[in-house]
Amino acid sequence: VPSKNSRVERTGLTNSPKPIMSSSSDSIALVILNGFCVLLPIIAFVSPFTVFSPIFCNCSRAAAASSPNNDDGHTCGNKIQMPPLAVTSQMLQCGLFAIYAQYLRSNTLLIPNVIGFLLGLVWSTLYRWGMASSFASQWRWQYFLSMAMLVAGAVSAFKLRNPYY
């Protein structure tokens, strides 16, 4: 069994979190790159809001029934006609990367992936109430399989010894 010191020497991993931006040793270009690496994925993870906006519509039922998709693009009352893979895979991928980032103690990876996981969880949960009925089976399989994979990833990262380290 390799000692803890040999792991640190081989990988450079320590138990202390790595700061996103350190003032003394990092160049301004690296600080800007880190900022983009944290902020740009968050913008991408918010983008499904445009698909989910009919769920949040505040119209009366009469207006929605009379013209669910009129000329001005108003879609009140419509069901989401998008397969659930985009939001369930966002939730799963960001969740697994967040677990990995926590294991590495990398805040640059951790922050956007925790936010992406939480938004993916929100989108995946809201999807249940706004989806077209033809996607119900896909959603159930993908949602619960993603949750099982997240639990398995968390257990393997924090409870079991990784044979590759």
Side-chain angles (χ1 to χ4, degrees):
V1 178
S3 70
K4 197 172 195 176
N5 288 340
S6 66
R7 178 177 171 255
V8 170
E9 290 169 4
R10 277 196 337 251
T11 63
L13 297 176
T14 63
N15 288 333
S16 61
K18 297 175 184 170
I20 294 174
M21 298 176 213
S22 72
S23 58
S24 61
S25 64
D26 292 344
S27 70
I28 190 70
L30 187 57
V31 171
I32 291 171
L33 179 63
N34 277 339
F36 283 137
C37 288
V38 170
L39 294 175
L40 291 178
I42 294 170
I43 293 169
F45 300 146
V46 173
S47 66
F49 181 78
T50 58
V51 174
F52 285 85
S53 60
I55 294 174
F56 303 113
C57 188
N58 232 359
C59 303
S60 68
R61 290 192 182 268
S66 66
S67 182
N69 193 5
N70 62 21
D71 292 338
D72 67 356
H74 189 74
T75 58
C76 193
N78 283 353
K79 295 291 184 179
I80 298 171
Q81 296 297 324
M82 175 186 81
L85 186 60
V87 291
T88 56
S89 64
Q90 173 186 333
M91 176 182 69
L92 176 61
Q93 180 183 10
C94 289
L96 291 175
F97 266 107
I99 292 167
Y100 181 65
Q102 177 62 28
Y103 181 76
L104 292 179
R105 306 270 191 229
S106 171
N107 289 334
T108 303
L109 288 175
L110 185 64
I111 292 170
N113 283 299
V114 166
I115 292 171
F117 167 72
L118 293 174
L119 286 171
L121 182 64
V122 167
W123 299 138
S124 295
T125 304
L126 286 175
Y127 187 89
R128 168 67 182 97
W129 287 281
M131 69 181 167
S133 60
S134 61
F135 297 123
S137 176
Q138 288 180 33
W139 176 83
R140 271 192 302 276
W141 276 102
Q142 291 173 22
Y143 189 81
F144 293 109
L145 185 61
S146 294
M147 290 299 181
M149 290 176 72
L150 286 165
V151 169
V155 167
S156 69
F158 296 110
K159 298 290 182 187
L160 304 175
R161 292 196 186 270
N162 187 342
Y164 300 107
Y165 267 88

